[in-house]
Amino acid sequence: MKLATIGVGNAGSKIIDRMLEFEDETGRNLCRHVMVINSARTDLAKPDYVPEDRRVLIGDTHQKAKGHGVGGDATVGAEVAKHDIDEIRRTFDDIEIHEVDAILVAAGLGGGTGSGAGPVVIDELQKMYDEPVYGLGILPGQYEGGRPALNAARSLQSFVQKVDNMIAFDNDAWRSRGQTIEEGYEDMNRELAIRIVTLLAAGEIDETEVAENAMDSSDVMRTLDTSGISSIGYASTPITREEDEGLLNRFKNEQQDPSEATDAAKIKGLVRRAVNSRLTLPCNVASADRALVILSGPSEVIARKGVESARQWLEQEADTVEVLAGDDPRPNASDLAAVVLLSNVTETPRVDEIQEQAVEAQDKIQQLEDDREDAINDLITDDDNELDPVI
Ligand code: GDP
């Protein structure tokens, strides 16, 4: 697929930056247009791969932001984006829309800019272009507390209503112990970039080396054409090459039982591993509306029979007949990767948990505001209420 990518807020911009890094490392050419939008000037300085002139500061003339961010308030994030909508629209004019198949908007939903400005940006893109607009939304971890959960639960509603499909990533599921939050984010961003780029770059080259079973970007788009929330599974295994003849050897998969060590069984095993390992958003696989499997690597190691039996296996797991499977030929890849898209999953405990945490936080915030107001009244009013204000 050829993609226009837009990162909104800090997390959204960092994810886009890692996507650019991964495509650079692997010789892909997915992101044809890149832009990051933020209300905090300091965060805009962070990306390594996003060109300077593709970084847009919003809200520098807005009273509540002034270039310093929106203080984690999604409502202010949305306000600031609306305030600067003309400028945002002007930067979109640069998108060579005939060169892209779709637009991807990435944002962390727990903060203020991504969660608030993200939906405003998406609204505008939907008005301006006919191409599908996909969301890439990061859900905050439970450990972050009530305010991020409240932002995320509200922003999730806006995102899902406005995008053509929203691919979700759950920070809670990907958090590992013994790391600082920043170290954790680095690893998570890398893992997410690998998954999203491997998935969306399939069929990116028009004239694929005539691989009969090559996945086309229209297959990926068809699978995403469900609306709702989606999750991605991924597994990879290194390929060994015979150096003398430059021939590809069959790939190794140590986790495979040697007795069934045929290439086809290995392909199926790899796809199973992708589905059964940590998904970007943990969910009940059987609740998916559609699914898609892509085997990305040198064609020589992608056994056709294996792809077909993996497809059939996934058809049963996902309990849907809408399962597509194909190859993404990468002659120089050092790994064989299986990426699985589970589109429109409707059973995901994490979304329910975030909503519960959000409702609790909203009640608590309301209660604290009420208590505060009572306390101020108590303070300024005399005991028997005998005094009146001046005006
Ligand atoms: P914003 O700039 O106001 O949108 O706020 P941030 O993007 O800094 O943070 C919003 C949310 O994104 C946080 O609540 C975290 O859940 C998440 N987050 C922030 N940075 C990262 C990151 O680098 N990686 C991941 N996976 N999540 C992040």
Side-chain angles (χ1 to χ4, degrees):
M1 185 179 308
K2 300 179 190 96
L3 208 60
T5 44
I6 300 173
V8 188
N10 183 31
S13 307
K14 284 197 272 176
I15 303 289
I16 298 292
D17 206 48
R18 291 286 79 76
M19 286 174 65
L20 295 177
E21 179 182 61
F22 183 67
E23 70 166 357
D24 186 59
E25 282 170 14
T26 57
R28 287 172 163 93
N29 188 12
L30 167 70
C31 305
R32 306 295 168 107
H33 179 97
V34 180
M35 189 196 302
V36 294
I37 300 174
N38 211 321
S39 62
R41 192 176 278 109
T42 44
D43 287 343
L44 273 183
K46 288 181 186 168
D48 297 318
Y49 287 80
V50 178
E52 294 280 343
D53 63 349
R54 309 304 304 152
R55 307 177 190 193
V56 180
L57 178 68
I58 54 169
D60 54 335
T61 59
H62 189 281
Q63 203 198 350
K64 291 183 190 158
K66 292 188 179 153
H68 302 301
V70 295
D73 188 329
T75 309
V76 180
E79 229 176 73
V80 158
K82 284 182 189 155
H83 178 265
D84 282 358
I85 200 66
D86 290 337
E87 189 188 342
I88 293 175
R89 208 179 284 133
R90 260 197 306 281
T91 58
F92 291 163
D93 281 341
D94 294 351
I95 302 180
E96 304 274 0
I97 202 69
H98 58 275
E99 281 181 9
V100 302
D101 302 307
I103 304 167
L104 180 79
V105 177
L109 304 193
T113 307
S115 65
V120 176
V121 164
I122 291 164
D123 252 351
E124 212 48 42
L125 290 165
Q126 292 284 26
K127 271 189 233 157
M128 288 173 73
Y129 304 114
D130 292 333
E131 280 63 21
V133 179
Y134 304 128
L136 179 57
I138 316 290
L139 303 180
Q142 204 256 345
Y143 55 91
E144 289 186 54
R147 173 68 77 170
L150 179 55
N151 284 337
R154 294 180 61 217
S155 183
L156 189 70
Q157 290 193 12
S158 308
F159 259 83
V160 175
Q161 281 162 10
K162 292 174 193 302
V163 292
D164 291 273
N165 196 306
M166 156 116 165
I167 297 169
F169 182 90
D170 175 24
N171 277 356
D172 219 43
W174 286 80
R175 186 185 182 209
S176 47
R177 296 186 190 284
Q179 278 183 319
T180 64
I181 290 194
E182 275 310 314
E183 285 166 354
Y185 282 161
E186 268 303 303
D187 288 353
M188 289 181 202
N189 296 352
R190 171 90 189 159
E191 293 294 335
L192 175 55
I194 290 173
R195 281 156 181 77
I196 197 94
V197 171
T198 308
L199 172 72
L200 297 182
E204 148 232 326
I205 312 154
D206 293 332
E207 61 285 14
T208 21
E209 23 149 304
V210 206
E212 218 177 292
N213 307 301
M215 190 56 86
D216 194 82
S217 39
S218 61
D219 296 327
V220 182
M221 289 166 78
R222 181 180 148 61
T223 309
L224 285 169
D225 192 26
T226 51
S227 63
I229 300 178
S230 298
S231 182
I232 304 175
Y234 177 90
S236 70
T237 185
I239 299 161
T240 50
R241 292 165 194 271
E242 264 179 26
E243 288 184 9
D244 295 348
E245 300 161 60
L247 284 175
L248 278 166
N249 212 342
R250 296 295 173 236
F251 63 91
K252 277 199 276 186
N253 182 354
E254 284 81 13
Q255 298 188 2
Q256 200 71 43
D257 178 354
S259 62
E260 49 161 21
T262 65
D263 284 357
K266 283 175 181 171
I267 294 277
K268 187 175 167 189
L270 193 65
V271 172
R272 284 171 89 120
R273 192 143 65 82
V275 174
N276 291 327
S277 62
R278 196 161 24 169
L279 300 169
T280 56
L281 175 68
C283 61
N284 177 3
V285 175
S287 74
D289 187 357
R290 291 181 191 164
L292 169 123
V293 185
I294 295 167
L295 273 305
S296 179
S299 308
E300 296 88 320
V301 297
I302 306 176
R304 182 90 302 265
K305 263 191 181 167
V307 179
E308 180 47 28
S309 73
R311 197 195 62 75
Q312 285 172 8
W313 172 79
L314 187 57
E315 209 173 272
Q316 290 195 337
E317 286 294 296
D319 197 18
T320 167
V321 289
E322 299 254 18
V323 181
L324 297 173
D327 313 348
D328 177 33
R330 301 274 160 195
N332 302 320
S334 54
D335 291 327
L336 175 70
V339 65
V340 176
L341 170 66
L342 300 166
S343 188
N344 191 13
V345 290
T346 47
E347 288 173 34
T348 151
R350 195 59 204 126
V351 171
D352 297 334
E353 281 167 20
I354 287 175
Q355 284 161 351
E356 279 167 30
Q357 202 181 359
V359 171
E360 247 174 57
Q362 185 164 268
D363 291 348
K364 199 167 161 192
I365 290 166
Q366 188 59 52
Q367 187 61 52
L368 285 173
E369 273 173 19
D370 294 349
D371 289 353
R372 210 68 219 145
E373 212 169 299
D374 290 348
I376 295 172
N377 272 334
D378 270 0
L379 177 71
I380 61 173
T381 313
D382 57 285
D383 286 349
D384 298 323
N385 205 6
E386 291 171 274
L387 307 172
D388 295 323
V390 183
I391 52 167

